[in-house]
Amino acid sequence: MKLSAVDLSPIPEDGTAAEAYANTVEAAKQAEELGYSRLWVAEHHGMGDRLAGTTPEVLLGHLAAQTDSIRLGSGAVLLNHYSPFKVAEQFGALDALAPGRIDAGLGRANGSPAADRALGTERRVQDPDGDHREKIESVVAHLYDEFPAEHAYADLTIPRSDAEPPVPWVLGSSPSSAAIAGELGLRYCFAAFIRPQFAVPAFDEYRESFEASDSAGGPDEPEGIVALNAICAESDEKAARLRAVAEASYKRLRRGVVDSTPSVEEAIDELGGVPDPTPETLDSDEWPRAISGGPETIAGLLEQLSERVGVDEVMIQQVADHEDALRSHELLADAVGLEGR
């Protein structure tokens, strides 16, 4: 099994964005040493007191200078906010900084109404799937210089290295994003920590709709990653205690509270106790929003869920506490037998 990680650059309690970015750098270096396949950074807007991950194209440039071999990418750059040409230029420049190891993770999401207004984003698009598909196609065409000669953009070029261009991934949490990835013949990453109930139908849709693309940016066969909220600790009980943060955060989100992350103790208090450990074996229709366990348990859970959707790579969403996250990534790497460098 391959392991990867996505880092939201959470701001430590009473800390700053500078500390959050320093933690992301440390996480990237550790992931590289442990043998993780890739590390992606996220894009969230209007939550600057909680998450510093707002501009993956900027942070990735810094991470490129701090690492040597691990693949780096966006999880995701939100195309509904931007021009495809500008996104392609950014990722072309990143490829020149880290030749042959950049992933262009392409997604979409609306933030708060105020954030979308500030970004100049139209919240209501007549054909959102069609618009998203067209933007993804344009980014790929710019990255791989694949516009036909008669196209208005055929003469536009972007900076790149002479290595493999940035690899495009379609990111999403619904069957509609899976269909777009399949119809375009691109790689697909599903965010199971957002809508776990759609993981299996999304990957089914992806494979059913997959058509190998003429673009050099697409694989010959379907290729996917499932992204999970997973925490590993020395025992199932300790891991369940840390998972309380994810459980309480989701309950806050359901109440409309999006500007804070509880501590472990606050989360346990809000939940009325420590959550039960995740069972070693999940029912066939059971897919928790977050999973936890000691090394043996979590390795089995990752295998169960990845097999359920037919992929061999799992991406782990980082937990909020930096030290807990580093220890979890270390234990996970050992649990699944990654070979570090």
Side-chain angles (χ1 to χ4, degrees), residues 74-91:
S74 51
V77 62
L78 304 179
L79 278 182
N80 52 313
H81 297 314
Y82 311 115
S83 149
F85 178 54
K86 184 59 177 175
V87 170
E89 285 189 317
Q90 290 165 344
F91 279 87

Side-chain angles (χ1 to χ4, degrees), residues 82-142:
Y82 311 115
S83 149
F85 178 54
K86 184 59 177 175
V87 170
E89 285 189 317
Q90 290 165 344
F91 279 87
L94 288 168
D95 171 63
L97 293 170
R101 59 188 184 103
I102 295 296
D103 294 325
L106 307 174
R108 57 180 167 176
N110 286 113
S112 68
D116 284 352
R117 282 196 300 271
L119 288 162
T121 300
E122 178 59 55
R123 291 178 65 88
R124 291 179 176 82
V125 179
Q126 186 171 2
D127 180 12
D129 285 350
D131 179 71
H132 189 47
R133 175 183 174 133
E134 183 178 331
K135 285 191 170 186
I136 292 171
E137 284 185 293
S138 293
V139 171
V140 175
H142 283 301

Side-chain angles (χ1 to χ4, degrees), residues 203-210:
F203 275 104
D204 287 345
E205 178 64 35
Y206 173 55
R207 291 188 177 87
E208 289 172 8
S209 61
F210 186 86

Side-chain angles (χ1 to χ4, degrees), residues 63 176 193-194 198 311 330-331:
L63 293 177
S176 63
F193 52 82
I194 297 177
F198 291 126
V311 301
E330 181 182 15
L331 291 170

